[in-house]
């Protein structure tokens, strides 16, 4: 779409959105949404909104009162947003966190969580033959990011999820909250044994991220057909993915999850379901 506004100035009816977090300077969301706004020639703006946790509630209400269409919410405010919303989507309630808030015309705050959607859409785009119901999944990690992955996999008919976390209690708590007998908690040290017969492996820990230790796991028991994916995307090729690729497993990196999770918010606020393309991936990763 060609814009008749080459200077991309805002108008009096621009749609406004942004990402709230503390800190928020690391967030790639303004670049991502900004790319789509320019690509589709939309009269809108998506801005970083650094908000200290103690000001979160007041800031959220202020943004609504300022006429914003909605906001994304990032760490550490994803859980804080839950009680502030007047309505929660089923998936937000089950995941226990909100990453997308839409301000309805009547002033109500509608909370959603699109992380699981992003996780699934990334795999569907990058591995179109994926069949989530075809076999057990192994999920590593029981931190903030794992719940969206668990709920998404369960909803797609995954027959069994083997969940391993360094701190076993945390995995047990997550399993008890989601309450689905298909989640089997296993001990972290025996996670390599749980790879036998798996069709999907997902790392949701912070291991492998820049500045963090590597995720060291012996993949020798994993079927070569199993898809291996990582929600870490910095670096794009984590050690887990390098190791999996070297032994012939299909792999999908974690960047697409970030890009796809942004689509529902963009669609609601700006009216277009935007496309995730290689050009977008390159743009989001480029430093300038
Ligand atoms: P987030 O909310 O961003 O996911 P988090 O809740 O701290 O962050 O979760 C980090 C995940 O990485 C957890 O599963 C954590 O395991 P613990 O629950 O035992 O802390 C996992 N993790 C971090 N460092 C780890 C390490 N050195 N070995 C194994 N797991 C690790």
């Amino acid at each position: 779409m060609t814009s008749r506004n080459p200077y991309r100035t805002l108008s009096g009816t621009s749609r406004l959105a942004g990402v709230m977090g503390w800190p928020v300077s690391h967030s790639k969301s303004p670049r991502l949404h900004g790319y789509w706004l320019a690509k589709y020639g939309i009269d809108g703006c998506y801005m970083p909104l650094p908000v200290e946790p103690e000001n979160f509630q007041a800031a959220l209400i202020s943004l609504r009162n300022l006429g914003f269409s909605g906001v994304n919410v990032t760490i550490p405010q994803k859980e804080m947003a839950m009680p502030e919303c007047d309505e929660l989507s089923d998936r937000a309630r089950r995941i226990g966190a909100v990453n997308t808030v839409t301000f309805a015309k009547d002033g109500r705050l509608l909370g959603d969580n699109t992380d699981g959607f992003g996780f699934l859409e990334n795999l569907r785009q990058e591995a179109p033959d994926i069949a989530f119901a075809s076999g057990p999944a192994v999920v590593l990690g029981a931190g903030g990011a794992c719940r969206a992955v668990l709920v998404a996999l369960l909803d797609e008919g995954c027959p069994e999820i083997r969940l391993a976390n360094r701190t076993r209690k945390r995995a047990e708590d997550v399993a008890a909250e989601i309450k689905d007998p298909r989640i089997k908690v296993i001990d972290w040290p025996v996670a390599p044994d749980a790879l036998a017969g798996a069709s999907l492996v997902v790392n949701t820990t912070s291991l492998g991220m820049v500045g963090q230790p590597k995720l060291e796991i012996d993949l020798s028991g994993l079927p070569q057909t199993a898809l291996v994916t990582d929600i870490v995307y910095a670096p794009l090729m984590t050690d887990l993915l390098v190791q999996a690729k070297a032994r012939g497993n299909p792999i999908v990196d974690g960047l697409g999850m970030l890009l796809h999770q942004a689509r529902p918010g963009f669609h609601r606020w700006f009216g277009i379901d935007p496309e995730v393309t290689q050009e977008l991936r390159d743009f989001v990763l480029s430093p300038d």
Side-chain angles (χ1 to χ4, degrees):
M1 198 181 293
T2 315
S3 172
R4 278 171 290 156
N5 176 2
Y7 303 107
R8 300 223 173 88
T9 55
L10 298 176
S11 75
T13 55
S14 291
R15 296 193 188 178
L16 308 176
V19 54
M20 296 173 79
W22 188 261
V24 82
S25 53
H26 67 283
S27 174
K28 297 198 182 298
S29 293
R31 195 168 173 89
L32 163 59
H33 284 263
Y35 171 93
W36 281 331
L37 288 169
K39 174 173 173 171
Y40 296 110
I42 292 171
D43 178 18
C45 174
Y46 184 102
M47 59 188 86
L49 301 163
V51 177
E52 292 192 55
E54 59 264 38
N55 297 330
F56 177 73
Q57 185 183 19
L60 194 60
I61 298 304
S62 298
L63 290 169
R64 180 198 64 190
N65 295 345
L66 286 165
F68 271 57
S69 299
V71 282
N72 287 122
V73 178
T74 187
I75 289 165
Q77 296 164 358
K78 286 187 174 187
E79 281 88 15
M80 293 174 73
M82 293 256 305
E84 306 308 328
C85 291
D86 300 295
E87 204 177 292
L88 290 172
S89 66
D90 179 54
R91 59 192 182 185
R93 195 173 300 114
R94 287 161 68 218
I95 293 166
V98 160
N99 75 340
T100 305
V101 179
T102 298
F103 302 118
K105 288 210 167 62
D106 62 6
R108 287 179 320 130
L109 275 62
L110 313 179
D112 192 10
N113 190 311
T114 65
D115 286 335
F117 169 86
F119 170 74
L120 294 174
E121 287 289 292
N122 181 33
L123 295 191
R124 287 194 186 108
Q125 185 172 40
E126 300 296 323
D129 295 335
I130 191 158
F132 294 101
S134 68
V138 175
V139 174
L140 304 170
C146 97
R147 288 166 192 252
V149 169
L150 294 177
V151 168
L153 289 176
L154 292 169
D155 285 353
E156 290 303 309
C158 184
E160 180 185 339
I161 301 178
R162 302 165 185 166
L163 176 63
N165 193 52
R166 175 180 60 177
T167 312
R168 185 185 167 102
K169 171 81 169 63
R170 219 170 163 198
E172 283 171 351
D173 289 348
V174 170
E177 277 168 45
I178 297 179
K179 280 199 200 82
D180 191 303
R182 289 175 288 167
I183 302 178
K184 319 266 189 236
V185 174
I186 55 169
D187 283 330
W188 180 254
V190 300
D193 302 338
L195 300 174
S199 54
L200 176 67
V201 179
V202 189
N203 174 42
T204 78
T205 74
S206 47
L207 294 173
M209 201 183 281
V210 176
Q212 298 290 321
K214 286 185 192 177
L215 169 57
E216 302 208 33
I217 182 165
D218 177 4
L219 296 180
S220 55
L222 183 70
Q224 233 180 6
T225 51
L227 181 75
V228 179
T229 187
D230 205 321
I231 69 160
V232 170
Y233 59 84
L236 218 44
M237 281 299 285
T238 60
D239 289 299
L240 172 68
L241 296 183
V242 169
Q243 199 192 328
K245 190 175 180 191
R247 65 190 294 282
N249 286 88
I251 59 164
V252 175
D253 69 59
L255 180 64
M257 178 174 172
L258 170 79
L259 306 181
H260 285 281
Q261 65 75 33
R263 282 172 40 208
F266 190 91
H267 193 184
R268 267 169 229 150
W269 307 327
F270 301 115
I272 285 178
D273 182 9
E275 217 186 340
V276 172
T277 59
Q278 185 60 44
E279 188 185 75
L280 173 63
R281 283 173 60 92
D282 295 343
F283 178 71
V284 168
L285 288 176
S286 62
D288 62 330

